[in-house]
Amino acid sequence: MLLAYQQTAHAQYFGQNKMRYKKLDFKVYETPHFNLYYYLKNDSMMNWLAKESEVWYELHQQVFQDTFFRKNPIIFYNNHPEFQQTTAISGEIGVGTGGVTEAFKQRVVMPIMQINQQTRHVLGHEMVHAFQYRVLIEGGDSTRLENIANLPLWMVEGMAEYFSIGKKDAFTSMWMRDAYARNDLPSLRQMTEQMNRYFPYRYGQAFWSYVGSTYGDTVIMPLFIETAKYGYEQGIRRVFGYDAQTMSTLWKNSMENTYRNSGKDTSSRPIGQALLTTKNAGRMNVSPAISPNGKYVAFMSELDLFGIDLFLADANTGAVIRKLGSRLTNKDIDEFSFLESAGTFSPDSRKFAFSIFSEGKNKLMIVDVETGKTLSVEAMGDISEFTNITWAPDGDRVAFSGLTNGHSDIYIYNLASKDLSQLTNDKYSDFQPSFSRDGKYIVFSTDRVALKSDSRSVDIPMNIAFIDIATKEIHNLDIFPGANNLNPHYSADGKQIYFLSNSDGYRNMYRFSFEDQQVARMTDFFTGISGITEYSPAMSISANDDIVYSYFKNNSYSVYRAKSTEFEAQPVDAALVDFEPAMLPPSQSRGVNVVNTNLRNFNAYSRINDSQINNIAYKPKFKLDYLANSGVGMSVGSRYGAGIASGVQGMFSDILGYNQIFAALNINGEIYDFGGQVAYINQRSRWNWGGSLSHIPYRFGFYQFDTRDIGAGQPELVLDQYLVRSFQTQADMFVAYPFNRHHRFEMGGAASYNSYRVDRYYQSYYYGYGGREKVTTEEASQLLGARLDPFNLFQANAGFVGDNAVFGIAAPLQGYRYRVSAEQYFGTFQFTAFNVDVRKYHRMKPVTLAARLYSYMRVGSGADQLYNIYIGYPYLIRGFEDNSFGPNSKISFNDLSGSKMVVGNLELRLPFTGPEKLAVIPSGMLFTDLNFFIDGGLAWRNGNTIKWNKTDEDKITQTINGEDYVTYDPNVRMPVFSAGVSLRVNLFGAMILEPYYAIQLNNPSRTKFGTFGLNFAPGW
């Protein structure tokens, strides 16, 4: 993953927590071109990673023709759960993120993966991004980091895939065949504009493979540079001499010719009954597991649209029965291990066990199948990451593949005694275990044959092996050498093993028979049996030989069920493999084939000596992470004099992101309007703490007529405009402790000095001349009716925050948010403030009922002495704009402000236009929510009388300039209510606009029925 800019928001009002469950003590290895940051206690594994890094550097350097003049940092985490807690990269990191490379420090941040091949691939992939950044930033005067905006994601990520995998890729070839079969091979424009439809990694890899094979890999860098400077359309024209559409057509023709002549039937039908498809489930129905009695199927799916959840379905009808687990409703589940893991049923089919992310590690969760009730949640000792659970026939044990110290091994856990035993213990990756029917053996996938071989290729393929649990003796099956043989399962009688393989260049099911040592191909699909990745489990077998499998076609994953006898077994030679169908088009390479030649000879490249790998001291190395400016604007010649508007903000951090410094400077007007802030945050441990220093100016003003002499020698009518500047100079600090991803405790304190400056711009009403003068705060206070004396204010605060809300198109659609806090103020003013904000979002497809109760109250002797709280803002109560009050209005601006307030909102939200299955009207460009709302609230001060409704008894007579006016008593307050409709528009993620029409419900007015307004904020 390429990460160009990163932003961090701390001390948020809401927001979910990025957890850090333990301190990690990093060490540093130095190699000729890298600094490797690690805490793994396995020197041999780190030695291997150091040497792998240098080989990838040598291979990529040949294409990029670039050299690292500074050592590039690579930060290794021991496993994916701990990688998700990284402080080097801001923001959430999901299960599907294999690694990240960011711009300013060119840090490669990645976990050690479950399989050696995955670790090798991710390292090579992310290192391409490091080269890309260096070429853009340090390659010369023609490009800068901003040029990355000209590079479409398919070009950036596709290059990283092509350079690290090459053109031999059965998985990406499956995707391209599927696009061909549904007549949906995209143009480059479609890939650029519809990234959600055309996955940039797969399609980008296929495009670069075509370019490299057709024109030679030496053309890749010129095209990359020209695209960075001018965009891909001009880049293609400048490099090849023809336009992007022509290039799209040539690429499309190449794929069509290849797949048309493949000899495969594109309409090959899946075998068995369609259980779970886009019609009754989601688009991604993966990791299927069938119960031993053949009654149930458990599967992962995005059926509810807001993430991957675990579902239970009837294995005969495909009807979805219930969720077996959801991170929205189960506090133990932070996330599912859905990418390359599957769960398992107990032998009696009454329980289901699966791996979840919880409290910074994988845990084993067991649920009751009939009720969905959680029966147990167990951590597996020091094993922070484990996948692919298999239940033993005796019902007392489960086995799984666990990652510790950089190696993936098979473990057995006794559910009764809680004992954990290690079955394999070596450098090889042992993956996807499955018990035999008698419980004496476990069959699994492993790379031990590949790593023992003398293969030169970058690939580390997986072979099938089985282990005798009693003796721990391992037997490798000599099947399809060099192919990926995955997801093995014993048949019901234990005499065969079913597995998936890419031995024919496709993704098909095979069967190995122990009796005659023969292999048979069970399927012959044009696309294939697959999960989200090549290593995802995609098949399961019941005790009655009912087989469920995940079938990829039409850009979706469907689950099918069939009896083993329904498959037509075709005997094949277990010694033969054919990877020609796995080659991305075109099959012939006409140009200089640097990338694929290097990948075929990856292990032939010499490794650096151990003497070139040295431990060095860890140094924080503070550097810039982010820098932005708001432009520069100037004004001259106005009645307010010259002015300037500009700002700059930046973020600095150490190499691991433990310490962060934020700085911002801004000016908007004269020198008095200069403000700035510097903040420090420490996130070394689970406790987050920090502080800031700031000087922030605020401006507001008012107009007034006066009669006085301003230079004419006699009094005259004068229009005065008063510009009031409020200056807040503040120091503050905070501490936050997250209990889990959704709940945290916060506390802090602040000290501030607040002062004012008042300038009066005066102008002759009749003659136009005027000037400017400074006014004392005492005079301005009398005119404004508000206190403008300097004051000191000290504050201490504490609060609890909760947030598990799932954001939809323009507002949360499911979950909850709450904040309960208290603040104690002392100094010039003394009072206590309480804040309660509770929000609930109840999803009832296709709408969401959202409710909010929000209150902020100051109590104490100084509660009314500060600025008022105003509830008429459209993000609180809509419909009370400055033009919305008629002559008979019971409400004025005074009624909407005070030192205490309470607001309630009820909203019916309908995703209107946007993603298919979520919005009423599918759209790839316009994303909107249609909302029907009722808002209400009350604001008041100490001593006010609160009534449900004002009557004539609440009217008073005021005499102004000798005339009597009848008005409502300002000391009587009543709640206000409005109702209306709004349309929130998500402008490509940059901002959200909400035009609305609101009617004041309890405030009669003869001037108008309702009010139009515009809100600039996401839905609450």
Side-chain angles (χ1 to χ4, degrees):
M1 174 185 280
L2 189 77
L3 186 66
Y5 302 103
Q6 53 177 341
Q7 297 181 1
T8 305
H10 292 271
Q12 304 173 80
Y13 186 78
F14 286 124
Q16 298 180 12
N17 310 310
K18 185 172 182 178
M19 301 299 297
R20 284 170 291 279
Y21 288 97
K22 61 182 180 181
K23 292 183 179 180
L24 303 176
D25 297 319
F26 279 87
K27 300 177 182 179
V28 187
Y29 267 152
E30 182 185 58
T31 69
H33 297 100
F34 300 98
N35 284 332
L36 277 59
Y37 295 80
Y38 70 98
Y39 58 97
L40 182 71
K41 296 178 180 179
N42 184 338
D43 292 339
S44 63
M45 183 67 180
M46 288 310 306
N47 188 278
W48 181 73
L49 289 171
K51 294 180 178 181
E52 290 275 301
S53 301
E54 290 294 337
V55 173
W56 279 120
Y57 173 82
E58 187 174 353
L59 267 60
H60 294 337
Q61 186 189 37
Q62 293 181 32
V63 185
F64 280 97
Q65 294 295 300
D66 184 53
T67 301
F68 288 3
F69 295 107
R70 293 175 288 103
K71 295 184 187 298
N72 200 91
I74 305 177
I75 303 173
F76 287 103
Y77 285 83
N78 286 6
N79 48 65
H80 207 283
E82 291 171 7
F83 166 61
Q84 289 181 260
Q85 303 169 49
T86 181
T87 52
I89 302 298
S90 300
E92 290 296 316
I93 294 178
V95 173
T97 302
V100 178
T101 304
E102 54 83 39
F104 286 93
K105 297 186 181 76
Q106 283 99 49
R107 288 174 293 187
V108 172
V109 187
M110 61 170 286
I112 296 171
M113 311 293 282
Q114 283 247 327
I115 300 174
N116 290 320
Q117 170 61 29
Q118 291 176 306
T119 303
R120 172 179 282 179
H121 165 232
V122 172
L123 181 58
H125 177 106
E126 296 303 330
M127 202 170 294
V128 173
H129 294 323
F131 270 97
Q132 289 170 338
Y133 278 132
R134 287 190 182 269
V135 167
L136 293 176
I137 299 174
E138 302 175 6
D141 297 332
S142 59
T143 60
R144 297 180 298 175
L145 181 59
E146 295 92 305
N147 289 96
I148 199 171
N150 293 331
L151 291 161
L153 191 60
W154 56 262
M155 181 171 280
V156 173
E157 296 293 356
M159 180 187 293
E161 288 291 90
Y162 176 57
F163 282 13
S164 57
I165 300 175
K167 67 180 296 179
K168 189 189 83 171
D169 190 345
F171 187 69
T172 297
S173 293
M174 179 188 71
W175 276 64
M176 296 306 105
R177 290 194 303 270
D178 178 64
Y180 165 75
R182 67 176 189 270
N183 195 26
D184 192 23
L185 292 170
S187 66
L188 298 181
R189 179 181 292 274
Q190 287 176 304
M191 288 164 57
T192 303
E193 296 176 352
Q194 302 177 47
M195 290 184 294
N196 291 333
R197 181 174 179 179
Y198 303 106
F199 189 42
Y201 289 68
R202 306 279 75 81
Y203 287 93
Q205 179 190 358
F207 171 78
W208 282 117
S209 179
Y210 166 76
V211 169
S213 297
T214 305
Y215 304 96
D217 292 331
T218 53
V219 80
I220 290 176
M221 282 316 297
L223 178 56
F224 179 79
I225 294 297
E226 293 301 311
T227 300
K229 291 192 289 187
Y230 306 109
Y232 77 94
E233 292 179 316
Q234 285 299 317
I236 289 173
R237 185 179 295 275
R238 294 172 71 92
V239 173
F240 298 104
Y242 41 78
D243 59 25
Q245 184 56 50
T246 301
M247 174 64 81
S248 297
T249 302
L250 293 171
W251 176 41
K252 180 178 180 180
N253 290 342
S254 173
M255 287 199 287
E256 287 179 338
N257 291 335
T258 299
Y259 299 136
R260 186 185 301 115
N261 299 321
S262 65
K264 282 274 189 178
D265 182 7
T266 62
S267 62
S268 56
R269 297 183 179 276
I271 298 169
Q273 172 192 357
L275 277 184
L276 302 160
T277 68
T278 54
K279 294 180 180 179
N280 67 332
R283 189 183 70 83
M284 291 193 303
N285 308 301
V286 295
S287 300
I290 190 168
S291 60
N293 62 10
K295 184 179 178 180
Y296 300 112
V297 170
F299 67 104
M300 299 284 189
S301 178
E302 89 304 0
L303 174 58
D304 279 353
L305 302 178
F306 300 119
I308 301 291
D309 285 326
L310 178 64
F311 294 88
L312 182 73
D314 188 298
N316 294 304
T317 65
V320 177
I321 300 172
R322 70 175 64 87
K323 284 184 181 179
L324 284 178
S326 172
R327 61 188 179 90
L328 288 176
T329 57
N330 194 316
K331 63 181 179 61
D332 293 310
I333 303 175
D334 291 336
E335 208 162 3
F336 286 102
S337 300
F338 66 87
L339 203 62
E340 291 167 350
S341 181
T344 180
F345 284 90
S346 60
D348 60 8
S349 302
R350 294 181 177 180
K351 302 173 185 176
F352 189 76
F354 54 99
S355 176
I356 61 170
F357 285 88
S358 179
E359 297 183 331
K361 61 172 62 179
N362 281 142
K363 292 184 179 180
L364 181 70
M365 175 172 279
I366 300 178
V367 298
D368 185 277
V369 171
E370 289 294 332
T371 65
K373 179 182 178 182
T374 301
L375 300 177
S376 64
V377 179
E378 299 283 350
M380 295 294 106
D382 294 330
I383 306 174
S384 294
E385 181 176 4
F386 62 90
T387 58
N388 292 293
I389 322 299
T390 177
W391 212 309
D394 59 17
D396 293 332
R397 298 167 297 159
V398 293
F400 52 80
S401 174
L403 177 65
T404 52
N405 290 322
H407 294 149
S408 181
D409 293 299
I410 306 298
Y411 293 81
I412 293 179
Y413 178 68
N414 190 299
L415 298 170
S417 66
K418 310 298 183 184
D419 291 332
L420 181 67
S421 59
Q422 188 169 357
L423 205 57
T424 63
N425 186 9
D426 47 50
K427 66 179 181 180
Y428 308 113
S429 298
D430 300 326
F431 200 55
Q432 295 175 335
S434 182
F435 272 104
S436 62
R437 300 299 172 178
D438 58 10
K440 296 180 179 180
Y441 299 93
I442 288 178
V443 64
F444 59 99
S445 292
T446 178
D447 60 10
R448 59 190 61 241
V449 170
L451 289 180
K452 290 177 181 178
S453 72
D454 57 359
S455 171
R456 292 187 170 202
S457 173
V458 69
D459 299 326
I460 309 176
M462 306 288 285
N463 66 284
I464 301 294
F466 63 92
I467 184 171
D468 186 314
I469 297 176
T471 65
K472 296 186 179 182
E473 185 178 357
I474 296 174
H475 303 272
N476 293 303
L477 298 182
D478 190 15
I479 300 173
F480 301 140
N484 261 334
N485 304 307
L486 299 162
N487 208 184
H489 291 276
Y490 280 94
S491 61
D493 59 11
K495 296 180 179 180
Q496 294 97 22
I497 290 175
Y498 289 85
F499 63 98
L500 304 178
S501 179
N502 62 3
S503 60
D504 60 354
Y506 294 86
R507 297 272 300 170
N508 281 305
M509 183 192 303
Y510 292 83
R511 185 184 66 196
F512 170 77
S513 174
F514 284 102
E515 290 182 346
D516 56 14
Q517 299 288 297
Q518 295 298 308
V519 176
R521 186 174 61 209
M522 310 301 288
T523 64
D524 190 15
F525 295 144
F526 186 72
T527 51
I529 300 174
S530 176
I532 297 175
T533 77
E534 183 174 7
Y535 299 98
S536 301
M539 179 179 64
S540 177
I541 302 177
S542 76
N544 303 313
D545 274 345
D546 300 300
I547 299 177
V548 293
Y549 61 93
S550 178
Y551 178 62
F552 179 75
K553 192 173 184 180
N554 293 326
N555 199 27
S556 63
Y557 300 86
S558 302
V559 175
Y560 285 77
R561 170 185 173 166
K563 297 292 291 185
S564 61
T565 54
E566 294 182 56
F567 296 93
E568 296 182 6
Q570 297 292 327
V572 295
D573 189 339
L576 296 181
V577 294
D578 178 14
F579 292 126
E580 186 62 28
M583 305 298 288
L584 292 166
S587 56
Q588 298 296 323
S589 296
R590 301 181 180 90
V592 179
N593 194 357
V594 179
V595 171
N596 293 285
T597 301
N598 283 339
L599 293 176
R600 285 195 299 266
N601 294 283
F602 186 88
N603 290 321
Y605 277 84
S606 61
R607 270 46 179 175
I608 58 174
N609 297 323
D610 291 347
S611 61
Q612 294 176 281
I613 305 173
N614 300 298
N615 266 311
I616 62 172
Y618 168 77
K619 297 179 181 178
K621 295 185 178 180
F622 265 89
K623 287 185 179 180
L624 180 69
D625 285 336
Y626 173 80
L627 185 68
N629 68 79
S630 57
V632 178
M634 299 189 69
S635 65
V636 294
S638 71
R639 63 176 301 201
Y640 306 108
I644 186 172
S646 183
V648 62
Q649 56 182 324
M651 182 175 78
F652 303 82
S653 70
D654 60 8
I655 195 69
L656 295 174
Y658 288 155
N659 305 278
Q660 295 183 333
I661 297 174
F662 302 83
L665 298 174
N666 190 78
I667 187 170
N668 186 21
E670 301 179 77
I671 190 64
Y672 313 111
D673 303 303
F674 181 86
Q677 182 181 37
V678 59
Y680 167 76
I681 294 174
N682 184 295
Q683 45 189 9
R684 175 73 173 83
S685 67
R686 189 164 179 172
W687 286 92
N688 296 329
W689 60 273
S692 70
L693 296 172
S694 63
H695 174 78
I696 302 175
Y698 303 92
R699 294 195 304 180
F700 65 94
F702 61 95
Y703 289 89
Q704 182 170 302
F705 287 102
D706 193 10
T707 301
R708 67 177 186 275
D709 182 2
I710 60 172
Q714 60 184 3
E716 60 178 305
L717 187 62
V718 178
L719 174 62
D720 293 324
Q721 178 184 354
Y722 290 86
L723 178 63
V724 183
R725 290 182 172 90
S726 170
F727 305 103
Q728 182 189 73
T729 302
Q730 178 170 292
D732 63 66
M733 63 174 295
F734 78 92
V735 176
Y737 182 83
F739 298 104
N740 50 45
R741 182 174 178 177
H742 304 301
H743 306 275
R744 67 176 176 270
F745 169 72
E746 298 177 351
M747 63 180 181
S752 66
Y753 175 74
N754 302 264
S755 60
Y756 299 90
R757 174 190 171 96
V758 183
D759 291 284
R760 178 167 59 197
Y761 297 86
Y762 56 88
Q763 183 177 359
S764 171
Y765 185 80
Y766 296 107
Y767 305 107
Y769 59 86
R772 166 185 173 177
E773 58 187 358
K774 183 179 178 182
V775 178
T776 64
T777 55
E778 290 81 4
E779 181 182 350
S781 297
Q782 294 177 355
L783 295 171
L784 184 61
R787 180 173 176 171
L788 297 178
D789 298 330
F791 64 91
N792 296 313
L793 204 60
F794 304 93
Q795 179 219 89
N797 62 77
F800 290 92
V801 182
D803 187 347
N804 81 336
V806 177
F807 204 83
I809 292 174
L813 294 183
Q814 189 167 325
Y816 63 80
R817 286 176 165 178
Y818 73 83
R819 184 180 187 90
V820 179
S821 62
E823 303 163 353
Q824 178 62 51
Y825 291 85
F826 47 95
T828 305
F829 309 109
Q830 296 190 17
F831 60 89
T832 304
F834 299 100
N835 179 204
V836 177
D837 191 343
V838 181
R839 311 175 186 191
K840 175 64 178 175
Y841 315 101
H842 182 58
R843 178 77 172 159
M844 303 174 292
K845 295 180 182 179
V847 300
T848 290
L849 183 63
R852 173 175 71 172
L853 178 64
Y854 172 52
S855 178
Y856 186 85
M857 297 187 185
R858 300 191 193 121
V859 297
S861 59
D864 295 334
Q865 294 179 286
L866 272 183
Y867 59 86
N868 284 327
I869 307 165
Y870 184 66
I871 64 173
Y873 296 117
Y875 53 82
L876 293 176
I877 303 177
R878 287 155 286 196
F880 290 88
E881 286 72 21
D882 56 1
N883 61 346
S884 64
F885 302 104
N888 294 328
S889 176
K890 297 180 180 181
I891 306 298
S892 66
F893 281 106
N894 181 63
D895 293 280
L896 300 176
S897 61
S899 59
K900 305 170 182 62
M901 57 85 81
V902 60
V903 168
N905 309 90
L906 191 65
E907 195 166 277
L908 192 67
R909 297 173 177 170
L910 173 66
F912 192 55
T913 61
E916 189 177 0
K917 285 200 169 185
L918 177 62
V920 175
I921 302 174
S923 173
M925 295 294 292
L926 183 62
F927 301 92
T928 64
D929 280 345
L930 181 64
N931 313 284
F932 301 91
F933 63 83
I934 298 176
D935 297 338
L938 173 68
W940 73 99
R941 297 165 63 89
N942 289 336
N944 286 158
T945 299
I946 299 174
K947 292 187 174 182
W948 182 255
N949 189 30
K950 294 181 182 179
T951 64
D952 290 343
E953 297 179 355
D954 302 311
K955 291 182 178 180
I956 61 174
T957 301
Q958 292 182 323
T959 302
I960 303 176
N961 295 329
E963 295 188 23
D964 292 338
Y965 295 89
V966 178
T967 183
Y968 286 97
D969 187 348
N971 288 316
V972 176
R973 299 295 179 91
M974 62 176 279
V976 297
F977 297 95
S978 66
V981 60
S982 76
L983 187 74
R984 292 192 181 98
V985 183
N986 190 324
L987 299 178
F988 309 105
M991 65 182 304
I992 293 175
L993 299 180
E994 183 191 10
Y996 60 86
Y997 183 77
I999 302 167
Q1000 298 179 7
L1001 295 180
N1002 62 338
N1003 186 33
S1005 172
R1006 292 196 302 264
T1007 57
K1008 57 177 64 181
F1009 180 68
T1011 304
F1012 285 100
L1014 184 63
N1015 190 18
F1016 295 87
W1020 48 264

